[in-house]
Amino acid sequence: MRHLYRCPLRWSDMDAYGHVNNVVFLRYLEEARVDMLFHPDQDHAFARGTVVARHEIDYKRQLVHRHAPVDVEVWVTEVRAASFTLAYEVKDTGSGEEPDLVYARASTVMVPFDFALQRPRRLTEGERYFLQKYQDDEAAG
Amino acid sequence: MRHLYRCPLRWSDMDAYGHVNNVVFLRYLEEARVDMLFHPDQDHAFARGTVVARHEIDYKRQLVHRHAPVDVEVWVTEVRAASFTLAYEVKDTGSGEEPDLVYARASTVMVPFDFALQRPRRLTEGERYFLQKYQDDEAAG
Amino acid sequence: MRHLYRCPLRWSDMDAYGHVNNVVFLRYLEEARVDMLFHPDQDHAFARGTVVARHEIDYKRQLVHRHAPVDVEVWVTEVRAASFTLAYEVKDTGSGEEPDLVYARASTVMVPFDFALQRPRRLTEGERYFLQKYQDDEAAG
Amino acid sequence: MRHLYRCPLRWSDMDAYGHVNNVVFLRYLEEARVDMLFHPDQDHAFARGTVVARHEIDYKRQLVHRHAPVDVEVWVTEVRAASFTLAYEVKDTGSGEEPDLVYARASTVMVPFDFALQRPRRLTEGERYFLQKYQDDEAAG
């Protein structure tokens, strides 16, 4: 299963070149992640927080501000004892014979983190179960 | 030769966790790049612009807002016909026997881009010459 | 008539105090303005741009990130030859006997601007006609 | 006495119009305020936090990214039991016969706030004493 987040753009996401700035794509990934992992309708255990350990992102096409949101598809490519990896595609999803229009592909290594103790922690059973629902070994690539 | 950019922090760089947000580190890389490639004192040819093709970043340590700037060291790890790669360390540089305190290591693939024609272009001789001064094959990492 | 923009929040809109940062409210006003004045479904004349001449904003209540958007109501309080004034309420609109929950009230003086000539310009007939539809003399107060 | 903060610009402070976005000026005010009120070299009492109750800002001139910082002058125009008002000028300070080049003038009403109890509080003696050193009744005008 993949999580789909329909990410609203802001006019201010554009830089002086008149396109969405490369750094802002990482904000879109963050929003998609927050929507997937911390949505109040989810009955799971990411209440104690996580930190980002690594990002990789490839830019494929320029994106210009428009009123329609852009799709961010998120899924899980690896689950380990004390980390997990997410993959993403930022795109306009095609329909029928139209192919997807991909703006960026990315991945993030996340580390569960105990902010009270200020140290990494292991994934709980509930978190592991939650992540496995989104597991798909295909890297964004 | 490596370029050193002393990057000022902003209080708003912190997120609700009370540390500099992971996305903001990419802003610091951008500022270091702009300072290196586009500084008006440089007599070189990055006047026609570049776009970011890829980022990789590893987070090593949390950074909390303080009044002192953080060092961003930038150098060139590869120069090709129509792209080049930068490496970075975001750190508090040690002195004497004190080691560096590294917050993040990163790399960026840049593509020279002709915004008027909206397409990639080759590096000019002047750009190539400029980049070679900063070449150092050691990847950040 | 008032324009209603349902403004999506981002997790990163929160600062180290764990609430939406005061500066980010101005981003919400900007988004509401862009949605009202520059929406592609509008057949009017704000194609040549405007600049902000003045903002006033009063903060009434803290706002914390949640998945639901916040309402931004926008209307026009004054139309002059070469400027106009917008008023806004940022709020959770009440229903039935529940009153509105107001987070901020604000106003902005906008100046039509010719970016090619780099100077202020007068409102066109079409712009004036468009703005009058949203006119309501009640200041956000 | 007025507090002078030499505010560094970021390339990303510019929007698609190629000038520093109006909202970003409020970030500059925030940085100047943090530098004045919370600098670790200051022996005073703004440790328990404050919130912004109101901003007014007038834009006078466009500002474009450059490597040199912009001056933000801050002073106090009013001290009350449970609030105080700051005034600011964002400018390139002139020298000799050259006048200042003013980009924006602004004011902010601040309310001391107890984040633990989540309610406004009165100014302490130490805070009042600190603010009076910067008092100057001239509004930014």
Side-chain angles (χ1 to χ4, degrees):
Chain A
M1 187 170 69
R2 292 182 176 198
H3 180 73
L4 176 63
Y5 176 63
R6 302 204 16 96
C7 181
L9 282 68
R10 291 184 182 169
W11 182 83
S12 58
D13 293 343
M14 289 190 293
D15 61 22
Y17 287 140
H19 60 204
V20 172
N21 180 267
N22 68 84
V23 178
V24 175
F25 278 83
L26 282 289
R27 281 275 168 252
Y28 297 172
L29 307 185
E30 180 176 69
E31 284 303 300
R33 231 162 39 227
V34 167
D35 189 68
M36 177 185 175
L37 300 176
F38 300 105
H39 200 289
D41 296 350
Q42 300 286 11
D43 59 333
H44 57 78
F46 281 101
R48 283 187 294 149
T50 55
V51 292
V52 170
R54 178 178 168 80
H55 289 302
E56 284 181 42
I57 182 165
D58 283 283
Y59 300 92
K60 298 297 184 187
R61 191 178 260 106
Q62 293 186 68
L63 175 60
V64 171
H65 176 260
R66 76 279 175 95
H67 288 265
V70 71
D71 290 347
V72 184
E73 215 175 58
V74 197
W75 65 98
V76 175
T77 54
E78 191 176 23
V79 180
R80 304 183 67 162
S83 73
F84 59 98
T85 304
L86 301 174
Y88 320 76
E89 273 186 0
V90 181
K91 64 185 171 186
D92 289 331
T93 307
S95 59
E97 290 167 22
E98 258 180 285
D100 290 355
L101 212 59
V102 177
Y103 298 103
R105 290 195 177 91
S107 69
T108 301
V109 179
M110 301 290 295
V111 170
F113 196 82
D114 192 318
F115 279 96
L117 300 177
Q118 283 290 307
R119 65 175 185 214
R121 58 180 180 84
R122 298 172 74 87
L123 281 167
T124 65
E125 270 306 294
E127 288 168 343
R128 181 177 292 277
Y129 174 77
F130 173 78
L131 292 170
Q132 277 160 359
K133 290 189 298 181
Y134 293 97
Q135 197 149 2
D136 179 342
D137 294 334
E138 190 194 338
Chain B
M1 189 171 68
R2 294 182 174 197
H3 179 74
L4 176 63
Y5 176 64
R6 304 207 11 100
C7 182
L9 281 69
R10 290 183 182 170
W11 183 82
S12 58
D13 293 342
M14 289 190 293
D15 61 23
Y17 288 140
H19 59 203
V20 172
N21 181 265
N22 68 85
V23 178
V24 175
F25 278 82
L26 283 288
R27 282 276 169 251
Y28 296 172
L29 307 185
E30 181 175 69
E31 283 303 301
R33 232 163 37 228
V34 167
D35 189 68
M36 177 186 175
L37 300 177
F38 301 105
H39 199 289
D41 295 350
Q42 300 286 9
D43 58 334
H44 57 80
F46 282 100
R48 283 188 293 150
T50 54
V51 292
V52 169
R54 176 178 170 82
H55 289 302
E56 285 180 42
I57 182 166
D58 284 282
Y59 300 93
K60 299 297 184 187
R61 192 178 260 105
Q62 293 186 67
L63 176 60
V64 171
H65 176 261
R66 78 277 175 96
H67 288 264
V70 71
D71 290 347
V72 185
E73 214 174 60
V74 197
W75 65 99
V76 174
T77 55
E78 191 176 23
V79 180
R80 305 183 66 162
S83 74
F84 59 98
T85 305
L86 301 173
Y88 319 75
E89 273 186 358
V90 181
K91 64 184 172 187
D92 289 331
T93 306
S95 60
E97 290 167 21
E98 258 182 285
D100 290 355
L101 212 60
V102 177
Y103 298 102
R105 290 196 176 90
S107 68
T108 302
V109 179
M110 302 290 294
V111 170
F113 196 82
D114 192 316
F115 280 95
L117 300 176
Q118 282 290 308
R119 65 176 185 215
R121 58 179 181 83
R122 298 171 73 88
L123 281 168
T124 66
E125 271 306 295
E127 289 169 342
R128 181 178 292 276
Y129 175 77
F130 173 78
L131 292 171
Q132 278 160 358
K133 290 188 297 181
Y134 293 98
Q135 196 148 1
D136 179 340
D137 294 334
E138 190 194 340
Chain C
M1 187 170 70
R2 293 181 175 197
H3 179 73
L4 176 63
Y5 176 63
R6 303 203 17 94
C7 181
L9 280 68
R10 291 182 181 169
W11 183 82
S12 57
D13 293 343
M14 288 189 294
D15 61 24
Y17 287 140
H19 60 204
V20 173
N21 181 266
N22 69 84
V23 178
V24 175
F25 277 82
L26 283 288
R27 282 275 169 250
Y28 297 172
L29 307 185
E30 181 176 68
E31 284 304 300
R33 232 164 36 228
V34 167
D35 189 68
M36 176 186 176
L37 300 177
F38 300 104
H39 199 289
D41 296 352
Q42 300 287 10
D43 59 333
H44 59 80
F46 281 101
R48 283 189 292 150
T50 55
V51 292
V52 169
R54 176 179 170 79
H55 289 302
E56 285 180 40
I57 182 164
D58 284 283
Y59 299 92
K60 298 298 185 187
R61 191 177 260 107
Q62 293 187 67
L63 176 60
V64 171
H65 175 260
R66 76 278 174 95
H67 288 264
V70 71
D71 291 347
V72 184
E73 215 174 59
V74 197
W75 66 99
V76 174
T77 54
E78 190 177 24
V79 180
R80 305 182 66 163
S83 74
F84 59 99
T85 305
L86 301 173
Y88 320 75
E89 273 186 0
V90 181
K91 63 184 171 186
D92 290 331
T93 306
S95 60
E97 290 167 22
E98 258 182 284
D100 290 354
L101 212 58
V102 177
Y103 298 103
R105 290 196 176 91
S107 68
T108 301
V109 179
M110 302 289 296
V111 170
F113 197 82
D114 192 316
F115 279 95
L117 299 177
Q118 282 291 306
R119 66 176 183 212
R121 58 180 181 83
R122 297 172 74 88
L123 282 167
T124 66
E125 271 305 295
E127 288 168 343
R128 181 178 293 275
Y129 175 76
F130 173 78
L131 291 171
Q132 277 160 358
K133 291 190 296 181
Y134 292 97
Q135 196 148 2
D136 179 341
D137 294 334
E138 191 194 337
Chain D
M1 187 171 70
R2 293 182 175 197
H3 180 73
L4 176 63
Y5 176 63
R6 301 202 20 94
C7 181
L9 281 68
R10 291 183 181 170
W11 182 83
S12 58
D13 293 343
M14 287 190 294
D15 61 23
Y17 287 140
H19 59 204
V20 173
N21 180 267
N22 68 86
V23 178
V24 175
F25 278 82
L26 284 287
R27 282 276 169 252
Y28 297 171
L29 306 185
E30 182 176 68
E31 283 304 300
R33 235 165 32 230
V34 166
D35 189 68
M36 177 186 174
L37 300 177
F38 301 105
H39 200 289
D41 295 351
Q42 300 287 9
D43 58 334
H44 58 78
F46 282 99
R48 283 188 293 149
T50 55
V51 293
V52 169
R54 177 178 170 80
H55 288 303
E56 285 180 41
I57 182 165
D58 283 282
Y59 300 92
K60 298 297 185 188
R61 191 178 261 106
Q62 293 186 68
L63 175 61
V64 171
H65 176 260
R66 76 278 174 94
H67 288 264
V70 71
D71 291 347
V72 184
E73 213 174 61
V74 198
W75 65 99
V76 175
T77 55
E78 192 177 22
V79 180
R80 304 182 66 161
S83 74
F84 59 98
T85 304
L86 300 173
Y88 320 76
E89 274 187 358
V90 181
K91 63 184 172 187
D92 290 331
T93 306
S95 60
E97 289 168 21
E98 258 182 283
D100 290 356
L101 213 58
V102 176
Y103 299 102
R105 290 196 176 90
S107 68
T108 301
V109 179
M110 302 290 296
V111 170
F113 196 82
D114 192 317
F115 279 95
L117 300 177
Q118 283 290 305
R119 66 177 183 212
R121 58 180 180 83
R122 298 172 73 89
L123 282 167
T124 65
E125 271 305 296
E127 288 168 343
R128 182 179 291 276
Y129 175 76
F130 173 77
L131 292 171
Q132 277 160 357
K133 290 190 296 182
Y134 293 98
Q135 196 148 0
D136 178 343
D137 294 334
E138 191 194 339

